[in-house]
Amino acid sequence: MKPEILASLAAFEQVAERRSLTYAAHALGVTPAALSQTIKKLETRLKVRLFDRTTRSVNLTEAGRIYLERVTPALAHLREATEDLQFSAGVEGGTLRITVSHPAGRVLIEPFLAEFFALHPHIHVELVYDDGFVDIVREGFDLGIRNGESLEGDMVALPLTQEMVMSCAASPAYLKAHGTPQHPDELAQHQCINYRMRSSGGIYKWEFLIDGKLTERAVHGPLTVNHWDTALSAARDGVGLLIGWRESLAPVFESGELVEVLTPYHSRFPGFYAYYSHRVHLPLKTRVFLDFLMQRIPGVA
């Protein structure tokens, strides 16, 4: 088998997995046009059409599906052999693409980046912040970090934190001017900072534990954002009440910039997890990062 065939098969697998030339090209570090030519050359060599292409989608033909089923295990074994060899030789490197929510990134990744790069200078990390669920296979990510309730069943998930608390807070100046709510129903008389979810486009309804039941409250106020840092900055400036993970708010609670309110009604949710596709052999760069992270995060389950 000629060497270029292996590269073509790897490209074929990426396109089949992501159903997109654009996403597959990004994962492989090539242009969509170059990847398209690679696939065409492979089809010409095999004398079989592997994909049905339209302007909006790329789907496997029946022949392509059968071929993928035969090719995928062989490529996985080759990757595994290469990774094991590199691991035993202490070789590491490459770009690690991670999709992470803003709260998780601030608490679980940002504090440890300098130490990680000092220990592993040959690994490049690309952090992409997005609070919605991201299909890491389709969009070419090696790893995702999300709250446990946001994960899909076909992912391998590793717990990074214990149960998380959703906390409501406001600045001392806001509370002095508007009073402190004693029950979630009183939020109707307060200015609240709303969050528009990027995944669905909907406004997040604040969740509280009332009489033992998880209850949603639609809130209103002068500001709606889709970026956590903006919401936090506005809350510190006294714009209104904010809701977010207590772990993410810990620094501003300690500094006194924000004050926790409605504590008896705070809801609890599964902690943050690192996740990746069970269909993908875990590369050395991902193993190294996960091992590092789990050794640094306090109280990893």
Side-chain angles (χ1 to χ4, degrees):
M1 181 183 292
K2 295 183 178 180
E4 61 267 24
I5 290 294
L6 285 176
S8 297
L9 293 179
F12 163 65
E13 182 188 41
Q14 290 289 330
V15 175
E17 188 74 37
R18 291 172 168 80
R19 300 291 195 272
S20 166
L21 283 168
T22 301
Y23 288 127
H26 188 74
L28 293 168
V30 299
T31 65
L35 181 57
S36 179
Q37 286 300 313
T38 298
I39 296 300
K40 287 179 181 178
K41 288 179 181 178
L42 178 61
E43 290 177 322
T44 299
R45 183 184 295 273
L46 296 174
K47 298 181 181 178
V48 174
R49 192 176 79 256
L50 300 172
F51 295 101
D52 288 322
R53 302 174 181 84
T54 68
T55 55
R56 294 188 176 183
S57 65
V58 179
N59 297 301
L60 285 165
T61 62
E62 181 63 18
R65 184 188 62 77
I66 294 171
Y67 192 52
L68 179 68
E69 291 176 354
R70 298 289 302 274
V71 167
T72 297
L75 290 174
H77 285 310
L78 285 172
R79 282 193 294 269
E80 185 173 355
T82 301
E83 292 289 346
D84 288 344
L85 178 63
Q86 291 177 323
F87 188 81
S88 63
V91 178
E92 61 183 36
T95 295
L96 177 66
R97 299 191 73 235
I98 304 172
T99 171
V100 60
S101 66
H102 286 86
R106 291 172 63 93
V107 175
L108 303 179
I109 295 182
E110 291 177 12
F112 309 113
L113 284 175
E115 182 184 2
F116 179 78
F117 292 132
L119 293 172
H120 307 284
H122 300 298
I123 297 179
H124 174 84
V125 174
E126 180 181 351
L127 288 178
V128 178
Y129 286 94
D130 191 329
D131 290 326
F133 177 79
V134 174
D135 185 333
I136 60 175
V137 174
R138 178 176 174 81
E139 299 195 24
F141 288 99
D142 300 288
L143 190 67
I145 298 179
R146 290 292 188 281
N147 178 256
E149 67 172 358
S150 302
L151 303 182
E152 293 190 353
D154 61 348
M155 293 287 118
V156 177
L158 302 176
L160 296 177
T161 69
Q162 301 290 341
E163 190 177 56
M164 305 284 286
V165 176
M166 187 64 77
S167 176
C168 188
S171 71
Y174 175 88
L175 297 176
K176 183 178 180 180
H178 301 277
T180 301
Q182 301 300 317
H183 189 278
D185 288 343
E186 297 178 20
L187 292 174
Q189 285 76 51
H190 280 270
Q191 298 178 26
C192 300
I193 300 170
N194 266 308
Y195 185 85
R196 186 176 298 279
M197 296 178 288
R198 297 185 184 185
S199 53
S200 66
I203 299 294
Y204 171 71
K205 292 183 178 180
W206 292 17
E207 296 170 284
F208 298 96
L209 197 63
I210 302 175
D211 297 328
K213 296 181 180 179
L214 191 63
T215 305
E216 295 182 343
R217 289 288 186 272
V219 298
H220 305 278
L223 178 65
T224 298
V225 301
N226 69 348
H227 194 285
W228 167 253
D229 288 344
T230 305
L232 182 60
S233 178
R236 287 199 302 254
D237 291 340
V239 171
L241 289 147
L242 170 79
I243 198 167
W245 299 115
R246 178 183 286 166
E247 290 74 9
S248 300
L249 293 169
V252 288
F253 287 158
E254 292 173 5
S255 68
E257 293 174 279
L258 293 184
V259 177
E260 199 168 17
V261 300
L262 298 175
T263 305
Y265 304 100
H266 288 170
S267 53
R268 297 176 178 271
F269 296 90
F272 286 113
Y273 285 73
Y275 66 97
Y276 55 90
S277 172
H278 76 278
R279 292 169 292 178
V280 179
H281 177 69
L282 197 60
L284 179 60
K285 61 189 178 184
T286 311
R287 290 191 216 174
V288 168
F289 185 81
L290 280 174
D291 288 345
F292 170 86
L293 205 60
M294 297 182 77
Q295 290 169 6
R296 298 309 186 281
I297 299 173
V300 171

